[in-house]
Amino acid sequence: MLGKDRYRVLQDTDLSLDRMRSLAVFYLPLIGPHAFSLYHSFLFEEKSLDYLPLDDLLTRLGMSIDTFEEALGKLNEYKLLSTFKKKDEEGLWIFSLIEPKDRQEFTDDDLFVRDFILKAGGSHYQELLSSLRLQESDLNGFENVSKKYDLRKLETWSEEDESYLNAKKREEASFDTLFDVNYFLKDISDFLFPRRFRTYDNLHEIACIADLYNISYDRMRTYISRLVNRNSDHFDTEELVKMAQASQPAYEKVEEGNYGVPCLSFLMNRQGGREVTPYDKKILYTLHHQYHLSTGVINVLLEHTLKQCDGHLYEKYLYPAAADLHRNGITDAKSAQEFLFGRGGNRSEKDELPVYDASKNPELEEDRLKEILERRKNNG
């Protein structure tokens, strides 16, 4: 190209806010500031059928011809612009703008997303996840001489780099919990809860803590926003447990026989709506994390223990029973009821001896009775 060349811009793009953000967030690290500036200059240039002097554009942008060509090549490579050169006439160019991919489209592009991770880093990519139409009639007589994407850019791609993509492709979490993790994740941004923290173990722990202590979706989002340290790769679940145990959700009435509720709510109902003490909250945690009992099984065990121990949660009674439930593979409330009933779990607190019914005893003849008594006397 020469400064005396002339150009036209074809642009029929009406960029959405999402595409504009994608251009600034995803494309800028790939194309660099000069190409970014050139794209915007073309985007806001007045539409015209005339060919304009290239020198005037270079002056406005403060670019040399070499810098311009490099920037133009970047826009070509990342499919933000196509360059057309007049076949039979030197110095005539058409630059046709292409709208950038939106965030979803960009992250679905196998080439671009890998290039981005190599340049900007995998952690930065995961944080960002939080948050051609050509006018054919105007291109007659032109050939597409746009610079092609160079696959050698990805020669250093490694398995570690690939792992950052797997986080995005991971299927929805599936846990047997009352707390719906997938619903929870839909309403929390990647910025507040980065994807690198969304491991199976972390998500399962979040759901279990919510089930134990009746933590709402909104309250859990608040806790996580306080915990997340964006300069760290560690998510402190122990601190999350402390926050949950320190909370005291409002009393909610639970129907008799309903074991499919958070353990804290169930226990509050068993004690007349009174607050659950820190001591009892730790018992709930132990029953789940050390004895591996589900929410429903814990609730059945709590009810059984309170009945058998006159309203007390004695550890010497509670934990052996929990161990039996775990040892025998009891995983649901119905099975826990049947198991504990077999151990006397549903008997009344004060068992009464049965009344003996002698009406069905066989009658014994008097001669037969004398014979028995005489035999015992002789054997004595």
Side-chain angles (χ1 to χ4, degrees):
M1 287 185 182
L2 301 174
K4 64 180 181 180
D5 290 352
R6 291 176 298 153
Y7 74 97
R8 278 186 60 205
V9 176
L10 298 183
Q11 64 99 348
D12 188 23
T13 54
D14 184 13
L15 299 191
S16 65
L17 181 59
D18 190 33
R19 294 187 188 278
M20 291 292 288
R21 286 176 175 169
S22 179
L23 186 66
V25 171
F26 286 116
Y27 283 86
L28 180 55
L30 302 181
I31 64 178
H34 294 302
F36 185 77
S37 176
L38 180 58
Y39 186 91
H40 282 83
S41 178
F42 285 158
L43 181 64
F44 298 115
E45 191 165 284
E46 293 290 338
K47 293 183 179 181
S48 174
L49 295 177
D50 298 328
Y51 287 86
L52 305 175
L54 187 58
D55 268 335
D56 290 352
L57 175 63
L58 298 178
T59 300
R60 291 200 312 270
L61 295 174
M63 291 184 186
S64 66
I65 191 68
D66 291 337
T67 301
F68 175 82
E69 288 186 343
E70 183 180 355
L72 197 65
K74 290 290 186 182
L75 296 179
N76 290 164
E77 285 186 83
Y78 293 97
K79 299 181 181 179
L80 294 171
L81 177 143
S82 291
T83 302
F84 296 87
K85 180 181 180 182
K86 187 70 172 178
K87 291 180 181 179
D88 54 359
E89 186 176 348
E90 290 293 325
L92 283 184
W93 304 85
I94 290 181
F95 304 129
S96 178
L97 281 186
I98 305 170
E99 63 186 17
K101 298 176 184 291
D102 62 28
R103 183 173 62 176
Q104 184 63 48
E105 292 168 344
F106 187 97
T107 57
D108 287 341
D109 190 299
D110 290 338
L111 291 178
F112 286 3
V113 75
R114 285 169 170 79
D115 197 357
F116 182 88
I117 290 175
L118 289 177
K119 289 185 172 63
S123 296
H124 182 54
Y125 166 72
Q126 289 186 335
E127 290 178 359
L128 291 178
L129 286 181
S130 4
S131 26
L132 168 86
R133 296 198 308 268
L134 296 179
Q135 299 175 5
E136 297 293 344
S137 59
D138 290 330
L139 296 176
N140 290 334
F142 287 80
E143 61 177 329
N144 193 335
V145 294
S146 303
K147 186 176 180 181
K148 303 298 183 182
Y149 184 87
D150 187 355
L151 292 175
R152 289 177 296 179
K153 293 176 181 289
L154 300 177
E155 288 179 346
T156 60
W157 187 261
S158 66
E159 291 184 5
E160 180 181 356
D161 298 317
E162 189 75 19
S163 67
Y164 292 110
L165 295 179
N166 293 335
K168 180 179 183 294
K169 298 176 181 177
R170 185 179 294 119
E171 296 180 357
E172 288 191 339
S174 179
F175 304 130
D176 185 18
T177 55
L178 303 173
F179 189 85
D180 188 339
V181 171
N182 297 311
Y183 174 79
F184 170 73
L185 293 177
K186 286 181 180 178
D187 290 332
I188 188 169
S189 70
D190 295 334
F191 178 76
L192 290 180
F193 190 28
R195 286 185 177 269
R196 66 180 182 278
F197 295 140
R198 302 185 188 193
T199 64
Y200 179 93
D201 290 340
N202 286 345
L203 293 177
H204 186 254
E205 181 70 353
I206 288 171
C208 292
I209 290 172
D211 281 4
L212 289 176
Y213 302 116
N214 192 22
I215 306 300
S216 67
Y217 294 107
D218 287 339
R219 186 182 291 269
M220 184 62 76
R221 293 185 190 102
T222 300
Y223 289 165
I224 287 179
S225 67
R226 295 175 184 171
L227 281 177
V228 168
N229 182 351
R230 292 171 185 82
N231 296 321
S232 171
D233 289 327
H234 174 66
F235 183 73
D236 195 344
T237 55
E238 293 183 3
E239 187 63 27
L240 180 60
V241 171
K242 292 178 182 179
M243 290 181 176
Q245 290 181 344
S247 68
Q248 186 59 55
Y251 171 67
E252 298 175 0
K253 182 66 176 177
V254 174
E255 294 183 7
E256 189 73 22
N258 180 12
Y259 302 100
V261 297
C263 297
L264 186 137
S265 295
F266 186 86
L267 186 54
M268 286 184 72
N269 276 263
R270 298 283 76 76
Q271 54 192 39
R274 287 181 289 276
E275 291 186 358
V276 176
T277 66
Y279 175 83
D280 288 344
K281 289 179 181 178
K282 291 181 179 179
I283 286 179
L284 298 180
Y285 184 86
T286 300
L287 290 174
H288 176 75
H289 286 78
Q290 294 187 21
Y291 292 91
H292 310 292
L293 302 184
S294 67
T295 301
V297 174
I298 291 175
N299 289 338
V300 173
L301 178 58
L302 292 174
E303 183 177 66
H304 163 75
T305 304
L306 290 172
K307 284 182 179 180
Q308 298 303 311
C309 300
D310 295 324
H312 299 285
L313 291 179
Y314 290 131
E315 293 183 6
K316 291 184 177 179
Y317 185 92
L318 189 67
Y319 292 154
D324 285 346
L325 290 167
H326 172 65
R327 186 182 306 108
N328 287 275
I330 306 300
T331 59
D332 61 272
K334 182 179 179 180
S335 299
Q337 286 179 292
E338 295 172 353
F339 182 81
L340 293 175
F341 176 79
R343 300 173 65 251
N346 285 344
R347 291 199 304 257
S348 61
E349 295 180 19
K350 294 182 179 180
D351 295 332
E352 297 181 0
L353 293 175
V355 177
Y356 185 70
D357 183 5
S359 63
K360 298 181 180 180
N361 286 351
E363 295 182 0
L364 191 62
E365 295 180 358
E366 183 176 354
D367 291 344
R368 175 63 175 160
L369 176 59
K370 288 181 179 179
E371 179 184 346
I372 292 173
L373 292 177
E374 184 67 23
R375 185 184 305 122
R376 287 186 176 180
K377 180 178 180 183
N378 295 333
N379 293 336

